[in-house]
């Protein structure tokens, strides 16, 4: 039982490049989330998905897109990376309705945009 | 604007003593509060929670206190152990809405 896994662990991008951060959970959780963590700030919600096929914006969605085509996977896309997107990205999942249950986090992806 | 604040970036405590981590919030609609613990290169892990109908919740060495009138919660760890050294985040939400996280307090327990 791996819980929540994220790939890659670390990535360097040039400004304007695109990439997809991958998140997978094996707990059959309904809800999944993407957060970013920046120095001096708490985790901030980018997007979340309350169920397979549905996604909603969080606090800081600009510059990102997401997809939840399968229940166990939640993808975060950066279409045109900017230095302001340099951050550590955490994926999380929870059972039941969104934000109603404990969230389980992955180990994070450290992204550097040059 | 930070709705959840942890004003102490770091805290050092001797092994066996009490660790007290503090958290303040501004939104009076928040009614559910959690503490997460994070080790380096790992994701946050859930530690303990409390709802606004309570003012205290205990789980082993960990106790969370909630003072709604002061919009303040604290996490007490007694006795502190070296393995407790980590970054602790508090988070708050209004039921069914997103969690807002504090900036974290780095706890070091000195053997």
């Amino acid at each position: 039982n791996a819980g929540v896994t994220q790939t890659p662990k670390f990535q360097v991008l040039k400004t304007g490049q695109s990439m997809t951060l991958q998140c997978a959970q094996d707990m059959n959780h309904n809800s999944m989330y993407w957060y970013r963590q920046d120095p001096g700030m708490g985790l901030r919600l980018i997007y979340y998905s309350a169920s397979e096929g549905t996604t909603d914006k969080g606090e800081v969605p600009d510059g990102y897109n997401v997809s939840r085509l399968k229940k166990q996977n939640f993808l975060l896309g950066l279409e045109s990376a900017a230095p302001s997107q340099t951050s550590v990205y955490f994926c999380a999942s929870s059972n039941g309705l969104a934000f109603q249950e404990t969230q389980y986090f992955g180990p994070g992806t450290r992204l550097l945009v040059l | 604007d930070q709705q959840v604040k942890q004003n102490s970036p770091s805290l050092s405590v001797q092994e066996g003593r009490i660790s007290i981590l503090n958290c303040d919030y501004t939104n009076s609609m928040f009614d559910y509060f959690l503490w997460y613990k994070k080790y380096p290169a790992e994701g946050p892990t859930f530690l303990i929670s409390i709802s606004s109908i309570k003012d205290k919740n205990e789980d082993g060495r960990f106790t969370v206190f909630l003072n709604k009138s002061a919009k303040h919660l604290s996490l007490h760890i007694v006795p502190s152990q070296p393995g407790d050294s980590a970054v602790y985040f508090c988070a708050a939400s209004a039921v069914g809405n997103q969690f807002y996280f504090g900036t974290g307090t780095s706890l070091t327990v000195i053997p």
Side-chain angles (χ1 to χ4, degrees), chain B residues 85-107:
Chain B
S85 296
V87 178
Y88 290 79
F89 293 96
C90 66
S93 76
V95 65
N97 291 291
Q98 73 168 81
F99 291 105
Y100 292 88
F101 286 80
T103 52
T105 296
S106 179
L107 173 66

Side-chain angles (χ1 to χ4, degrees), chain A residues 48-103:
Chain A
Y48 70 98
S49 168
S51 62
E52 177 183 339
T54 69
T55 61
D56 285 285
K57 293 180 180 179
E59 191 180 352
V60 288
D62 293 343
Y64 304 96
N65 57 75
V66 289
S67 65
R68 181 104 182 266
L69 300 179
K70 293 182 179 180
K71 187 176 185 179
Q72 63 269 32
N73 299 118
F74 195 27
L75 307 181
L76 178 70
L78 286 75
E79 289 186 347
S80 179
S84 61
Q85 294 177 304
T86 292
S87 188
V88 181
Y89 291 85
F90 290 101
C91 176
S93 70
S94 67
N95 209 356
L97 300 174
F99 308 115
Q100 301 273 17
E101 305 278 348
T102 300
Q103 294 182 20

Side-chain angles (χ1 to χ4, degrees), chain B residues 54-106:
Chain B
K54 293 185 173 183
D55 54 18
K56 176 182 174 181
N57 189 27
E58 287 181 81
D59 184 1
R61 296 185 296 113
F62 302 91
T63 303
V64 57
F65 294 92
L66 176 63
N67 182 333
K68 291 184 288 293
S69 61
K71 296 191 181 69
H72 177 83
L73 65 155
S74 61
L75 175 69
H76 293 210
I77 306 173
V78 183
S80 301
Q81 299 173 354
D84 296 329
S85 296
V87 178
Y88 290 79
F89 293 96
C90 66
S93 76
V95 65
N97 291 291
Q98 73 168 81
F99 291 105
Y100 292 88
F101 286 80
T103 52
T105 296
S106 179

Side-chain angles (χ1 to χ4, degrees), chain A residues 8-64:
Chain A
K9 286 186 169 52
F10 180 72
Q11 182 73 46
V12 179
L13 289 178
K14 294 182 179 178
T15 296
Q17 287 185 317
S18 63
M19 80 161 296
T20 299
L21 280 65
Q22 302 193 26
C23 176
Q25 53 94 4
D26 61 3
M27 297 174 281
N28 201 34
H29 284 169
N30 291 324
S31 302
M32 297 185 74
Y33 315 83
W34 276 106
Y35 291 89
R36 59 178 288 174
Q37 184 190 13
D38 301 296
M41 305 194 75
L43 282 82
R44 291 182 294 167
L45 183 68
I46 305 171
Y47 271 94
Y48 70 98
S49 168
S51 62
E52 177 183 339
T54 69
T55 61
D56 285 285
K57 293 180 180 179
E59 191 180 352
V60 288
D62 293 343
Y64 304 96

